[in-house]
Amino acid sequence: MVTFLAAIVILIIGYFTYGKFVEKVFGVKNERLTPAYSHADGVDYVPMDTKRNSMIQLLNIAGVGPIFGPIMGALYGPVAFIWIVFGCIFAGAVHDYLTGMISIRNRGAHLPELAGKFLGKAFKHVVNAFSILLLLLVGTVFVTAPAALIADLTPAWISMGVIIGAIFIYYIAATMLPVDKIIGRLYPIFGALLVVSALGVGGALVVQGHPIPEITLQNMHPGGLAVFPLLFLTISCGALSGFHATQSPIISRTTQQENQGRKIFYGMMILEGIIAMIWAAAGMALFSGENLNEILAAGGPAAIVREVSITTLGAIGGTLAIIGVIVLPITSGDTAFRSARMIIADYIKVGQKKIMSRIWIALPLFVLSIALTQIDFNILWRYFSWANQSTAMIALWVGAMYLALQRKNYWIAILPAMFITMATFTYILNAEIGLRLPIEVAYGGAALITIASAVAFFMTVRARLAASDSGLHPIVVDEDLNKTA
């Protein structure tokens, strides 16, 4: 119990200390017009206040990841708490803040465009493909997961197909309509429900005295799976998630002033980390490792959510908590498709003011997603985890390059970038969905790739700064510099 409470306190302190430090390193400029005003179009570029933007950002980034991921990560024991806390403060929140703020400085650009600008033109095409793949997987996972939970709360005659169809209809509307029509109006309500349900479960764990284990570095996974790299891909959205890099630009196009960024981007990641802590603690406190593993194998994380909610809050409170959990994936799935539409539109340079331009880009995405719903959830989650952390890796390298080219403290981005590069490549070299190399070989190969990435980074920075100092190729990291309020 002490570990759990201390971890939440550390997360909150992290927001007020390290979050402030990261903001100072970046250097906000409130006199600059944000894209919400400089590129206002009434569809995606729409100014909204901090409270609405914060709730939308939280719901955008907090799909089933900070619940399902930590529940599955609970199999490893309290070591999961360490990754959630320190990963969130020093990696995930930094990742979210930098991607959101760099996007604000560059017309609300999405990650593929930013990767092309800061890492090289080839990266734009690679990251574009990665982002679309990730968003399709997210949209699909965030259809099937809430559908399973809704099915338990509705009469038996309402089939899964009907529920999935209804979710897709909502997704289409939220993807097509201006951001302030559905998302801007409903998300603050959904956000309140999410926070109340999470705090309800967390408070019940404390008040009812459930035995939350104290910190230990011991790997308690009943299957003996290695902590590194699997834990760091299993718990992604609650600590570090590339999916967030696809969502932050949505809000970078609605943010009114740069000084709102720490609360919106860094702060909401900290709040997501608290939600992840609550569900990881619930998984450990209410189930033994073997029992948790059996339930996960039989009914997936959704079964744990149901059991935890009813056990801690009773029938009525538990049902409300489940509804709060259902809101999470649905409110990330809709913005996943919205983000995919925006990324494709930016890539092929098609304006989105006309409804038909939005329709012909978005509909093929929904057709592909419907086909993907036929694939087993566990398989989808493995590919999602890999694509997710690969995207986080690229986003952190983008953030490091942005800071380095301005001669600012890039270590706040490059250290987590190197860590997740090592973890991601170890996974793909060793995993069943990857090259299936022995783990020792995977460690060595990932270490070489990480070192090579760092060397390439430093060489590129040195070359670009030298070219800029000589006057041959001046560095322009921000756009619309002359547009001020």
Side-chain angles (χ1 to χ4, degrees), residues 172 175-176 340-342 344-368:
I172 292 171
T175 300
M176 302 294 187
R341 169 181 65 76
M342 293 162 66
I344 294 172
D346 289 350
Y347 186 73
I348 61 179
K349 302 186 185 307
V350 173
Q352 294 294 279
K353 201 161 188 177
K354 295 180 180 179
I355 184 66
M356 286 308 300
S357 297
R358 287 171 252 159
I359 289 174
W360 72 259
I361 291 176
L363 284 185
L365 295 172
F366 288 112
V367 172
L368 287 172

Side-chain angles (χ1 to χ4, degrees), residues 284-300:
M284 295 177 207
L286 273 63
F287 308 94
S288 65
E290 292 78 7
N291 192 23
L292 178 61
N293 200 29
E294 290 174 2
I295 298 175
L296 284 172

Side-chain angles (χ1 to χ4, degrees), residues 242-293:
F243 171 63
H244 299 185
T246 70
Q247 300 301 290
S248 293
I250 295 178
I251 303 304
S252 76
R253 300 183 181 194
T254 63
T255 300
Q256 296 170 322
Q257 288 185 309
E258 287 192 359
N259 68 348
Q260 298 169 350
R262 181 163 66 99
K263 180 179 291 184
I264 294 170
F265 300 118
Y266 197 100
M268 292 306 100
M269 182 62 217
I270 293 295
L271 184 51
E272 184 179 16
I274 293 173
I275 294 170
M277 279 294 305
I278 289 171
W279 284 98
M284 295 177 207
L286 273 63
F287 308 94
S288 65
E290 292 78 7
N291 192 23
L292 178 61
N293 200 29

Side-chain angles (χ1 to χ4, degrees), residues 150-269:
I150 292 172
D152 285 337
L153 300 178
T154 54
W157 57 267
I158 301 179
S159 68
M160 278 286 290
V162 171
I163 295 172
I164 289 174
I167 293 174
F168 269 118
I169 290 172
Y170 165 75
Y171 281 0
I172 292 171
T175 300
M176 302 294 187
L177 293 176
V179 68
D180 60 334
K181 300 306 180 188
I182 291 181
I183 293 174
R185 292 178 179 178
L186 295 181
Y187 273 36
I189 300 171
F190 290 160
L193 179 60
L194 158 66
V195 172
V196 169
S197 65
L199 292 179
V201 171
L205 290 176
V206 175
V207 172
Q208 296 170 10
H210 293 284
I212 303 173
E214 303 300 342
I215 195 66
T216 174
L217 296 179
Q218 180 183 358
N219 179 8
M220 302 174 67
H221 197 289
L225 298 181
V227 170
F228 190 90
L230 294 177
L231 175 63
F232 305 98
L233 279 86
T234 301
I235 301 179
S236 53
C237 293
L240 169 64
S241 171
F243 171 63
H244 299 185
T246 70
Q247 300 301 290
S248 293
I250 295 178
I251 303 304
S252 76
R253 300 183 181 194
T254 63
T255 300
Q256 296 170 322
Q257 288 185 309
E258 287 192 359
N259 68 348
Q260 298 169 350
R262 181 163 66 99
K263 180 179 291 184
I264 294 170
F265 300 118
Y266 197 100
M268 292 306 100
M269 182 62 217

Side-chain angles (χ1 to χ4, degrees), residues 40 44 118 131 148 160 174 197 203 210 222 242 279 299 303 318 326 334 348 364 383 434:
D44 296 317
F118 294 106
S131 298
M160 278 286 290
S197 65
H210 293 284
W279 284 98
I326 290 170
D334 58 6
I348 61 179
Y383 283 100

Side-chain angles (χ1 to χ4, degrees), residues 386-403:
W386 169 69
N388 191 37
Q389 298 306 67
S390 295
T391 304
M393 169 186 71
I394 295 168
L396 283 166
W397 284 113
V398 167
M401 183 63 72
Y402 175 89
L403 295 173

